[in-house]
Amino acid sequence: MMTFSLSEMAMRAHRRFLTSTAQVLGGDAKEPHEAFPDQFKQLDLYGEFLSETRPARREMTLSRSVDNFLSYISDILTQAIVTRPHLLKTREQVTLEEVLTHASLEDFVRWAAERRVNQLSFKGLKEIADYVESRLGLKLHTSDDDWTTLNKAVAVRNIVVHRRAIIDERSLWSVKEPGLELGQKYEVSQTDMAESMKCAMRMVRDFDTRISDKFDLALLNASDQSWFEERAHSAAAYEKEVVAQDDRSLAPQSDDQSSPS
């Protein structure tokens, strides 16, 4: 489970650095906070700030995970419709003016596809899934557990975005979580945040493979992208390295390793 925060990791690393430095310089004569009182005071204030803002950061992370997933679905639907324009077949009417504003049939198809997908985006996740299955012949999900998790994440995201996380009648029905009360503020937990991110990524990887196979859409390989090598290290790997560095700095030095005075 994802349990890290880059800000909290940096703060812990800085605290460990100050502690190890105080031990090297002062030994047991002074406590670390006595050696660097101003720095530890700033860290304590920063820690309070991180603690106070943690709920908002969890809300934002969950909401962005859902938004990114829905944006992906919109983009991939548009691409599929552009590739196979017959998917647009509908009784919906367009004006002659709307047709003639486009320089080519391809431009009109893309415009019509984007408009159709935008209309879908204002509907619920079930309606989007039904459209995908009826028009594309693909289920949006292959795991019932992931589908349940994503539906809850969408419901929580809607509470956060539209209700400032205050539970209303619709929230009680859509979230379906025991212990919720009308008017109560919904607290996005670490589990809510982590599971929504992992679930969205799993569903994107799965659906991306299936729709690209069916409609012959090109897949991008992250390792081929210019940004991949620079950002390949995860935050978890970074935290492991920080801890390793701190452990080395706290380890007693032998005589031949000691710096000359």
Side-chain angles (χ1 to χ4, degrees), residues 51-113:
S51 179
E52 291 172 358
T53 59
R54 189 175 294 115
R57 288 185 283 120
R58 288 176 177 172
E59 291 176 2
M60 181 179 68
T61 302
L62 182 144
S63 298
R64 287 302 300 270
S65 297
V66 171
D67 289 342
N68 287 340
F69 175 82
L70 295 176
S71 294
Y72 160 78
I73 294 299
S74 295
D75 290 344
I76 201 70
L77 273 178
T78 300
Q79 190 61 43
I81 293 172
V82 168
T83 304
R84 304 286 178 87
H86 69 273
L87 296 172
L88 273 172
K89 287 182 179 179
T90 177
R91 294 182 180 276
E92 182 179 357
Q93 296 181 346
V94 295
T95 66
L96 184 60
E97 180 181 6
E98 288 172 327
V99 175
L100 294 178
T101 54
H102 299 89
S104 65
L105 178 61
E106 289 76 13
D107 287 345
F108 171 74
V109 168
R110 178 169 291 277
W111 169 83

Side-chain angles (χ1 to χ4, degrees), residues 184-195:
Q184 170 188 1
K185 182 178 174 63
Y186 186 87
E187 297 290 343
V188 177
S189 67
Q190 184 78 20
T191 300
D192 288 336
M193 182 191 72
E195 289 303 317

Side-chain angles (χ1 to χ4, degrees), residues 10 24 29 51 79-80 129 144 147 169 182 197 206 229 240 245:
V24 170
S51 179
Q79 190 61 43
D144 290 339
W147 184 240
E169 291 284 358
L182 196 64
M197 294 177 67
D206 174 63
E229 205 167 315
K240 183 178 180 180
Q245 289 177 0

Side-chain angles (χ1 to χ4, degrees), residues 157-165:
R157 177 262 181 199
N158 290 339
I159 299 172
V160 170
V161 172
H162 300 298
R163 297 288 304 169
R164 292 176 298 172

